[in-house]
Every structure is written in C-alpha cells, then in structure tokens.
C-alpha cells in the first residue's frame, strides 16, 4: 500500500473520512462523528469490489474518489459533480488508533490506498486533516467511466460477502440524504433510481413467469378461472367492508 506522509498536525488526533459505507458503518472505537465535506474530488462507482459487494469471479462496484482535475479530462456520462464531496469524519480514541488502523487495512484494502485531505465540518470551524481511502486510477480495481445503465445493471446483479451490491448503493443514497439538505449526489441518485427501475422490471418478469408456469401445469382455462375467483373474492371483500363501514357510520351517527 502506498502511503502519503500526513502533514504536521497540531496534535496526535487521528481522524478518518468516510464517503462510502463508512458513512453508515462506522469504524470501531470512534468517539466523534461529524458530517461535512472535502473538495477537489468526485465520487464515482468506479472501483471493482471483489471482497465486499462482489467476488473475484464477479466483482461488484463501489465508490472511490477521483481527483477533480483528472476527472475533468475524462468523458463521463454523468457530466456534472458537486464541488463538495459530503461524508463524515470520525475521530478515533487515542488509545485505539493502532488497532483501528490495522482493522481498516484488513477491511478496506482491495485496491484502495491511504491519502490525507482537509475535511470541512458542516457546522463550520477549522478544517481537520483526515485519512481517506482512495482507489486511484492506477490500481487494478479501478474501472473508470461506465455507461450509467450498464453500471446500474451490473450493480443490480452483483453480491459479495458484505451483501447485495444494490443495498450498498441504496444505503449510500439514504446515508447521504441524512447528512444535510445539500449532501445529495446526482451520480448516486441517478444510479439508485435506475436500479429501482430494474428491480421493478425484474419483479414483473418473475410474476409473468409464475403465471406462465401455472398455465403450463394446470392449463390456461384454470389460470383464468383462478384469476376470476381471485378478482371476485377481492371484489366481495371490498363490497363487504364498505357495507360494514356504512353500518358503522350509521351506528355512530344515531
Ligand atoms: C468509505 O466508506 O469512505 C470507504 C471505505 C473504504 C474504502 C473506500 C471508501
């Protein structure tokens, strides 16, 4: 792992900046959690994940930070990005710093390297120097710009030891929403919406397949009869409950 040298700090505090899953999955042994942002970067789902939201055979996609000056030279389908990359800074208890650094190395290594960047607390005050994990373009897991629909399909079908890739995406969207009214990220929201649409499409396809399977086993007439029965039962139930409601209204108005 390549390690930048941290700039001199006023004290020995160790702060960690989270812009991905760390936002809602805190590191161990922190004693402060502050929402805020860093600048000079763009958050993108451009890092392959073989150990958390995918496998070596079928890597998923997770976020990394791209230096803004590098990103500006690329052709990205998501052509704009907020100046502030929102996330949270965690302060680690001094007596646990070595332990946490070791834990983070194990947990996050898959292509990410350690960097340091100033973090701006949302409530104002001096910037804090934070450690941040970045999958830079020279790492093996870096994927680079992708067509948003293809990326959404990829996220939708990926899963790894930490769970479904889509839950990571939706988890990030929800976690960002909670930080501040201005912490939304169009790249994350657009992908989330696309994956929701894919999930709905898939659900419909499954329903249709189910109906097809039933037709193959019991015959189309029986499927039609079952659907009619279902319709009548629902209709009767609605009629029944509206009569009950009517009686209830009459009783109370007497
Ligand atoms: C994050 O949540 O900020 C993060 C964690 C590990 C690697 C990259 C980002």
């Amino acid at each position: 792992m390549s390690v930048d040298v941290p700039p001199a700090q006023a004290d020995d505090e160790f702060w960690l900046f989270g812009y991905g899953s760390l936002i809602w999955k805190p590191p161990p042994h922190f004693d402060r959690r502050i929402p805020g942002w860093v600048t000079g970067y763009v958050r993108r789902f451009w890092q392959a994940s073989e150990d958390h939201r995918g496998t070596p055979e079928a890597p998923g996609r997770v976020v990394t930070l791209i230096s803004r000056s590098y990103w500006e030279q690329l052709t990205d389908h998501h052509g704009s990005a907020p100046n502030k990359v929102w996330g949270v800074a965690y302060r680690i208890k001094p007596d646990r710093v070595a332990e946490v650094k070791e834990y983070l190395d194990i947990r996050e290594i898959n292509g990410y390297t350690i960097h340091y960047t100033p973090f701006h607390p949302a409530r104002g005050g001096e910037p804090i120097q934070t450690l941040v994990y970045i999958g830079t373009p020279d790492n093996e897991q870096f994927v680079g710009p992708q067509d948003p629909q293809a990326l959404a399909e990829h996220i939708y079908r990926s899963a790894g030891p930490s769970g479904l890739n889509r839950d990571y995406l939706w988890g990030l969207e929800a976690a960002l929403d909670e930080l501040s009214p201005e912490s939304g990220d169009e790249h994350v929201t657009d992908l989330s919406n696309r994956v929701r649409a894919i999930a709905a499409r898939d659900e419909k396809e499954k329903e249709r397949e189910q109906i097809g399977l039933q037709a193959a086993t019991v015959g189309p007439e029986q499927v039609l009869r079952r659907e009619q029965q279902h319709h009548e039962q629902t209709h009767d139930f609605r009629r029944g409950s509206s009569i009950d409601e009517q009686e209830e209204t009459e009783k109370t108005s007497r």
Side-chain angles (χ1 to χ4, degrees):
M1 174 179 286
S2 78
V3 180
D4 290 347
V5 177
Q9 291 269 103
D11 51 37
D12 282 345
E13 286 190 354
F14 175 61
W15 289 81
L16 176 67
F17 175 59
Y19 58 93
S21 59
L22 276 172
I23 301 178
W24 74 97
K25 273 192 186 169
H29 310 306
F30 72 96
D31 59 4
R32 291 182 67 187
R33 177 185 186 274
I34 303 178
W37 68 83
V38 303
T39 56
Y41 292 101
V42 172
R43 174 176 21 224
R44 287 291 180 262
F45 269 81
W46 290 2
Q47 182 81 354
S49 171
E50 300 185 340
D51 56 352
H52 282 289
R53 301 293 171 158
T55 61
E57 297 74 36
R61 295 285 182 269
V62 288
V63 284
T64 183
L65 294 184
I66 323 294
S67 113
R68 198 166 183 105
S69 54
Y70 175 72
W71 175 78
E72 278 165 357
Q73 297 166 29
L74 304 172
T75 306
D76 184 357
H77 301 78
H78 286 150
S80 67
N83 278 322
K84 297 173 181 173
V85 176
W86 277 82
V88 289
Y90 293 98
R91 188 176 72 176
I92 306 299
K93 292 177 189 161
D95 58 333
R96 311 309 280 263
V97 168
E99 192 183 325
V100 169
K101 281 185 174 168
E102 195 184 343
Y103 162 83
L104 289 167
D105 269 4
I106 294 163
R107 186 179 159 214
E108 318 289 10
I109 201 158
N110 198 203
Y112 289 102
T113 49
I114 288 175
H115 301 256
Y116 289 86
T117 195
F119 168 86
H120 301 266
R123 52 138 213 263
E126 286 297 302
I128 300 165
Q129 200 62 19
T130 54
L131 180 151
V132 59
Y133 284 90
I134 298 180
T136 50
D138 56 358
N139 91 89
E140 275 181 14
Q141 311 299 333
F142 187 78
V143 184
Q146 293 146 91
D147 170 72
Q149 190 58 24
L151 178 54
E153 300 274 355
H154 191 106
I155 291 172
Y156 178 68
R157 62 176 181 265
S158 299
S162 301
L164 295 175
N165 206 166
R166 72 190 89 144
D167 288 341
Y168 172 97
L169 168 65
W170 291 334
L172 179 57
E173 184 192 33
L176 284 174
D177 274 354
E178 279 171 19
L179 292 183
S180 142
E182 52 167 297
S183 53
D185 185 330
E186 208 183 301
H187 173 73
V188 176
T189 314
D190 179 58
L191 286 172
S192 297
N193 289 338
R194 287 173 190 269
V195 174
R196 271 188 284 274
I198 297 167
R201 178 198 73 193
D202 216 36
E203 199 54 41
K204 275 213 179 93
E205 270 167 23
K206 277 193 198 130
E207 272 170 28
R208 259 185 247 125
E209 267 170 31
Q210 193 63 31
I211 292 172
L213 271 180
Q214 282 180 12
T217 44
V218 298
E221 297 82 12
Q222 201 162 343
V223 171
L224 198 61
R225 214 171 310 128
R226 279 185 190 172
E227 277 175 5
Q228 270 168 352
Q229 275 171 356
H230 176 73
H231 175 77
E232 280 163 18
Q233 277 165 4
T234 322
H235 187 67
D236 280 352
F237 170 74
R238 291 218 185 100
R239 199 168 45 205
S241 53
S242 68
I243 290 169
D244 290 348
E245 277 163 22
Q246 211 175 311
E247 284 177 355
E248 202 54 42
T249 320
E250 281 169 10
K251 264 188 253 159
T252 49
S253 61
R254 261 184 225 139

